[in-house]
Amino acid sequence: MFGNLLDAGRGLAQAGRYLGQSMRLMVGLPEYDTYVAHMEATHPGQPMMSYEAFFRERQEARYGGAGKRGGCC
């Protein structure tokens, strides 16, 4: 009985994490934790961007950097 409740709770928590990640991606908020995990797993020993540098890079990729025309207007 309690095992089923724990499994349901874990499933609900995972669904909440996925929903939160989806919502952040929809509004354009970058996932720094995902970037850090990726860098540690696939590029160990390489320099990692700070949160500020990562956020700036993601904003420029989404909206265009200086001298680039981006966006709707």
Side-chain angles (χ1 to χ4, degrees), residues 7-58:
D7 289 341
R10 287 185 197 117
L12 187 58
Q14 184 66 35
R17 283 190 291 274
Y18 286 144
L19 179 60
Q21 181 181 24
S22 296
M23 297 300 288
R24 285 187 294 279
L25 290 172
M26 279 193 267
V27 297
L29 293 176
E31 285 284 327
Y32 184 71
D33 294 338
T34 302
Y35 161 75
V36 169
H38 167 79
M39 289 297 289
E40 289 173 346
T42 59
H43 309 286
Q46 290 188 2
M48 204 177 305
M49 288 186 275
S50 66
Y51 177 80
E52 292 79 13
F54 174 79
F55 186 83
R56 187 172 43 253
E57 190 273 333
R58 291 287 77 219

